[in-house]
Amino acid sequence: MSQSRMKAVIPAAGLGTRFLPATKAMPKEMLPVVDKPAIQYVVEEAVNAGIDDVLVIIGRNKNAISDHFDAVPELESKLVEKGDDKKLQQVLASSDLADIHFVRQGEPKGLGHAVLRAKAHVGESSFAVMLGDDLIDERDPLLPQMIEQHAKRGAAVVALMEVPREHIHLYGVAAVEETDDEGVVRITGMVEKPSAEDAPSNLAVIGRYVLGPDIFDVLEHTEPGKGGEIQLTDALQEQAADPNGNGVFGVVFRGRRYDTGAKIDYIQAIVQLAVARPDLGPELRDWLKDFAETL
Ligand code: UTP
């Protein structure tokens, strides 16, 4: 499957309860990370991996997301009038990025249920699922390697990351075997949000997946699991356990990742990304050093 034809699906219909009250009227994927909403970074990551068709799964408060990716003629003409080309380019960047589509989830019945809503748009092709609150630093590209492994093995590929044991209960966790490819593992089992004692490894599933259309058949009959939600992890566990299937593989990511769905991680993400920016970094770095001394 050529990269240019692969579509991306961004589920953004969760309730975002970890980020209340900010997420009461706004999806967490729209929270600004420095000066762009989190979801824009994810769309840019898809575009950088050669994907130009993006489907966003939206829930309540959908307008904020679709408005952000829409053209705003009155704002654009004001900036043209003022001759403010820099700001004009920033405004145009989000509406010209990719071909962006939306579908509603209805009720937030889980990530697996959200992904199943992409079936009609995706059709018979492979596709990438990218969680809208999980950011991968553009200096450490991950998706191209996942797409390559998917093409090579004809199997579902998930991104894995080593996490400290005290955080393992927040993730789907994989039991794995080595493969001949450095940094690529075969997944022999997956469990959603296990306790530290029950976790089969310290390899957590992070928010990037490259899946074949066969996942939809599995999701159609996946029963609600942990938290009463239809879990993508449970559907992948079924694929991993199927002796007649191609299995499920993991690409172990060792780069920079930012989780913007939880408050402390979100604050850290903003600081790290702002420090790396040429326009903000030097001033912020100096201030941070002074501030740290007052702690
Ligand atoms: P999370 O579990 O992180 O999202 O789901 P949440 O349920 O919104 O967050 P909390 O725990 O209440 O704070 C992972 C991703 O799946 C999407 C979310 O928007 C997020 O990007 N999701 C989750 C859906 O699109 N639909 C759902 O029913 C559940």
Side-chain angles (χ1 to χ4, degrees):
M1 151 122 272
S2 81
Q3 291 190 16
S4 59
R5 289 179 48 223
M6 184 170 280
K7 294 175 179 170
V9 173
I10 304 182
L15 292 177
T17 56
R18 281 169 298 157
F19 224 122
L20 283 167
T23 45
K24 195 174 163 204
M26 184 169 60
K28 64 177 166 182
E29 291 78 4
M30 280 303 293
L31 292 172
V33 179
V34 188
D35 56 2
K36 287 187 283 193
I39 193 169
Q40 186 173 334
Y41 289 84
V42 180
V43 174
E44 287 170 356
E45 182 192 338
V47 170
N48 288 340
I51 297 174
D52 60 8
D53 184 305
V54 177
L55 177 72
V56 184
I57 315 292
I58 47 180
R60 65 201 177 96
N61 312 322
K62 59 169 185 138
N63 294 344
I65 298 182
S66 50
D67 286 353
H68 180 72
F69 291 107
D70 246 1
V72 196
E74 62 279 20
L75 178 58
E76 288 160 22
S77 46
K78 258 276 166 316
L79 292 170
V80 171
E81 245 170 64
K82 284 175 145 186
D84 195 336
D85 196 51
K86 189 162 170 239
K87 291 209 180 73
L88 178 65
Q89 292 318 317
Q90 286 169 340
V91 167
L92 292 176
S94 59
S95 41
D96 289 349
L97 259 181
D99 198 1
I100 303 185
H101 308 264
F102 300 93
V103 67
R104 303 206 63 158
Q105 188 181 4
E107 258 181 89
K109 293 186 189 163
L111 178 57
H113 181 259
V115 170
L116 187 53
R117 299 287 297 128
K119 184 177 176 180
H121 185 79
V122 164
E124 288 304 311
S125 306
S126 295
F127 63 108
V129 173
M130 307 173 76
L131 300 194
D133 59 348
D134 215 341
L135 308 189
I136 300 295
D137 197 301
E138 64 177 354
R139 294 165 289 181
D140 304 320
L142 163 65
L143 205 54
Q145 195 195 351
M146 295 178 68
I147 294 172
E148 190 187 304
Q149 284 293 324
H150 175 75
K152 172 177 169 178
R153 299 177 186 275
V157 177
V158 308
L160 299 172
M161 201 164 180
E162 287 181 8
V163 301
R165 273 210 111 73
E166 62 270 24
H167 292 159
I168 206 83
H169 66 281
L170 301 170
Y171 293 91
V173 181
V176 302
E177 285 169 358
E178 300 280 304
T179 69
D180 291 340
D181 287 334
E182 167 71 24
V184 179
V185 291
R186 171 187 279 277
I187 294 181
T188 57
M190 281 173 100
V191 37
E192 185 61 28
K193 301 190 172 77
S195 62
E197 304 79 66
D198 294 339
S201 74
N202 65 345
L203 287 173
V205 178
I206 57 169
R208 298 291 179 271
Y209 308 78
V210 179
L211 306 172
D214 52 344
I215 195 74
F216 295 126
D217 300 334
V218 183
L219 284 169
E220 304 261 12
H221 64 245
T222 302
E223 296 287 336
K226 195 103 186 177
E229 296 191 339
I230 297 173
Q231 300 285 359
L232 182 59
T233 305
D234 292 343
L236 288 165
Q237 160 63 26
E238 184 177 323
Q239 288 199 318
D242 180 357
N244 301 316
N246 292 342
V248 177
F249 290 81
V251 168
V252 181
F253 181 60
R254 303 198 191 278
R256 287 159 282 196
R257 163 190 178 252
Y258 315 98
D259 177 1
T260 65
K263 291 175 191 177
I264 189 78
D265 304 287
Y266 172 79
I267 295 164
Q268 290 166 353
I270 291 180
V271 174
Q272 285 170 280
L273 287 166
V275 159
R277 286 257 301 245
D279 55 337
L280 303 169
E283 197 179 333
L284 179 62
R285 209 181 280 262
D286 288 346
W287 179 81
L288 277 171
K289 281 186 195 143
D290 290 346
F291 183 64
E293 281 173 19
T294 69
L295 298 178

